[in-house]
Amino acid sequence: ALVKADVFINPEVVDFGRVSRARIRSNPEALPFLTQSLVINRREGEMSIDGTKADIPFLWVKHEPEHRSAAFRVDVGLTADALVNGPFEGQIVIYTDDPDFSELKIPVKGWISD
């Protein structure tokens, strides 16, 4: 049997893999297809997401819904004009109003090439 935590995230890691800056420059309409989505579920009750923070400067993070919920979708994407060549690794922190799960930390990794 698989027992999940009271608050769980799927997938547990955001992995962008290898991203080509040259391809993004030549086809900027493709950038949204690199967006990664996570689902955060709370087994019982609801919570609010009070904010998010990424320690990688070229990431953006957005969540839905904006109100209290038992489930959220979190989208993570890349800002094309801020990309830097090489491997990157960091984390996203999601702040909640749940006293037991006030910070959810999600690892992020990938590689930017030209």
Side-chain angles (χ1 to χ4, degrees), residues 27-36 60 76 78:
N27 187 11
E29 296 82 25
L31 191 61
F33 293 107
L34 297 175
T35 301
Q36 304 288 312
W60 57 264
V76 183
L78 303 171

Side-chain angles (χ1 to χ4, degrees), residues 2 6 16 23 33 58 69 76 79 82 89 91 93 109 112:
L2 175 64
D6 288 337
F16 283 96
R23 281 193 171 185
F33 293 107
F58 49 80
S69 181
V76 183
T79 304
E89 201 167 331
Q91 68 179 0
V93 181
K109 62 183 179 176
I112 306 296

Side-chain angles (χ1 to χ4, degrees), residues 56-101:
I56 299 169
F58 49 80
L59 287 185
W60 57 264
V61 181
K62 180 180 129 188
H63 71 275
E64 293 182 347
E66 295 286 328
H67 54 78
R68 292 182 66 76
S69 181
F72 297 88
R73 187 178 94 200
V74 178
D75 293 329
V76 183
L78 303 171
T79 304
D81 52 349
L83 295 176
V84 177
N85 281 355
F88 63 91
E89 201 167 331
Q91 68 179 0
I92 297 166
V93 181
I94 298 175
Y95 300 98
T96 77
D97 68 348
D98 186 307
D100 296 324
F101 301 94

Side-chain angles (χ1 to χ4, degrees), residues 15-29:
D15 187 350
F16 283 96
R18 194 172 209 86
V19 176
S20 167
R21 285 176 52 190
R23 281 193 171 185
I24 291 171
R25 279 194 301 269
S26 69
N27 187 11
E29 296 82 25

Side-chain angles (χ1 to χ4, degrees), residues 95-114:
Y95 300 98
T96 77
D97 68 348
D98 186 307
D100 296 324
F101 301 94
S102 60
E103 290 185 3
L104 306 173
K105 296 180 180 179
I106 304 155
V108 180
K109 62 183 179 176
W111 188 288
I112 306 296
S113 62
D114 218 7

